[in-house]
Amino acid sequence: MSDERNRPETYLLSQELEEAIKVAEITSRPLLLKGEPGTGKSLLADYLSFTTKKKLFSWHVKSTSLAKEGLYFYDAVSRLNDSRFAEDKEKVRNIENYIRLGALGEAFSAPEPSVVLIDEIDKADIEFPNDLLLELDRMEFTIQETGRRIKAVHRPLTLITSNNEKELPAAFLRRCIFHYIDFPDPVFMGEIVSAHFPNIETSLLKRALESFYVIRTMDDMKKKPGTSELLDWIQILIHMGAKLPEEGRIPYIGALVKNEEDLKLFR
């Protein structure tokens, strides 16, 4: 069973999102995307890379990430090991052999225009976004260990996603184009599902969407299912040949409801 969620050719853009991308391209500013999980913020980078034929450089931010890591990393451990065990001592003397470029560093160095994804920037420390301001503005940085300056050959189209876990600094926001991806309404969601499953039966699509949006309207749910869960669920239904009754038990509910308390509430 193939993964139907992550095919870039099936990604659908709203008119508002298309406009935001165009504004980011015209102004050469990063596009900051917010929206609840499952609205396709990160997948947009794959879509743009696919449709523009530009290479994608992805940086998935963690709570321990430092801004410098997106530019480059000095692999001191490998150099120490080589100094002790490697026969090629000339390699060890040249520190450049141990500089590893991060996503931004690779994009700046790329000979062709590219797409950069800085994913879930709000996971990192509050000062993390501000630490990137200068590099994102000037599109250049210096490797401190060697003094080598890397300046972007082409300014990449930069996408930054946030799940609103932390407020982002005002100085950082001023330098971004902002777009909030609204959760799709049933009509647009039907188009999204049909793009992934072009041969889906109309009756199955109708009943699946009805059940999905009923679940999402339950006010006490802690984790409402998103687009990714819906696509998983429909993929299971098609694969198993399941039929959805007008009323009663919804099959394979574990694909939609991912929390024990929510499951009890739903039942």
Side-chain angles (χ1 to χ4, degrees):
M1 185 162 55
S2 62
D3 186 349
E4 295 291 342
R5 296 167 301 168
N6 299 322
R7 292 160 47 205
E9 66 271 23
T10 60
Y11 193 96
L12 295 184
L13 281 75
S14 66
Q15 181 179 347
E16 294 77 13
L17 181 53
E18 284 191 75
E19 290 176 354
I21 295 168
K22 182 59 65 177
V23 171
E25 291 175 332
I26 293 171
T27 60
S28 296
R29 292 200 179 273
L31 176 58
L32 174 62
L33 297 168
K34 289 188 178 183
E36 69 174 85
T39 49
K41 299 185 297 296
S42 303
L43 288 177
L44 177 60
D46 291 294
Y47 168 81
L48 291 175
S49 173
F50 174 79
T51 55
T52 63
K53 310 301 182 187
K54 295 177 181 178
K55 187 170 183 179
L56 172 62
F57 299 98
S58 298
W59 181 14
H60 301 285
V61 178
K62 302 177 182 178
S63 60
T64 56
S65 294
L66 301 175
K68 179 182 175 182
E69 295 169 357
L71 303 173
Y72 75 95
F73 168 68
Y74 169 42
D75 194 350
V77 174
S78 292
R79 191 182 189 199
L80 176 62
N81 287 335
D82 286 350
S83 68
R84 296 172 61 191
F85 304 113
E87 296 182 1
D88 187 359
K89 301 303 180 183
E90 193 61 38
K91 174 186 176 182
V92 177
R93 293 190 188 95
N94 186 357
I95 197 172
E96 282 283 0
N97 292 321
Y98 302 93
I99 299 297
R100 315 284 185 245
L101 294 180
L104 282 172
E106 288 188 310
F108 289 3
S109 303
E112 301 292 337
S114 61
V115 177
V116 171
L117 170 65
I118 304 177
D119 200 24
E120 298 187 327
I121 194 171
D122 52 323
K123 279 189 174 181
D125 182 83
I126 188 63
E127 290 302 320
F128 179 94
N130 280 340
D131 291 341
L132 285 175
L133 287 180
L134 185 63
E135 287 76 15
L136 288 175
D137 268 349
R138 297 185 178 179
M139 286 286 145
E140 64 179 299
F141 66 93
T142 299
I143 297 175
Q144 298 300 322
E145 288 78 4
T146 66
R148 176 162 63 100
R149 187 170 68 105
I150 294 181
K151 184 176 177 62
V153 180
H154 300 278
R155 181 178 285 267
L157 174 58
T158 304
L159 305 182
I160 303 173
T161 73
S162 168
N163 287 325
N164 265 342
E165 291 186 12
K166 297 187 187 77
E167 284 294 324
L168 298 175
F172 179 79
L173 293 175
R174 283 196 298 270
R175 290 166 170 82
C176 295
I177 302 301
F178 174 76
H179 181 73
Y180 186 90
I181 300 181
D182 291 312
F183 196 83
D185 62 24
V187 174
F188 189 42
M189 185 65 83
E191 295 176 6
I192 293 173
V193 173
S194 296
H196 285 81
F197 306 100
N199 298 319
I200 187 172
E201 295 179 3
T202 303
S203 59
L204 176 59
L205 175 60
K206 179 175 180 294
R207 289 292 299 123
L209 290 176
E210 288 175 354
S211 300
F212 175 73
Y213 280 96
V214 165
I215 295 174
R216 280 191 57 86
T217 56
M218 298 175 69
D219 294 332
D220 295 331
M221 288 195 73
K222 289 188 174 181
K223 169 64 174 72
K224 295 184 179 182
T227 307
S228 180
E229 284 86 3
L230 174 62
L231 294 176
D232 279 346
W233 185 49
I234 290 180
Q235 188 175 11
I236 295 167
L237 292 174
I238 293 174
H239 184 79
M240 300 299 291
K243 302 293 182 183
L244 290 176
E246 292 294 326
E247 295 181 359
R249 174 181 175 273
I250 294 180
Y252 315 113
I253 191 64
L256 293 172
V257 180
K258 304 292 182 71
N259 179 284
E260 183 179 357
E261 293 180 27
D262 288 344
L263 190 59
K264 291 179 181 178
L265 174 68
F266 180 77
R267 285 173 175 168

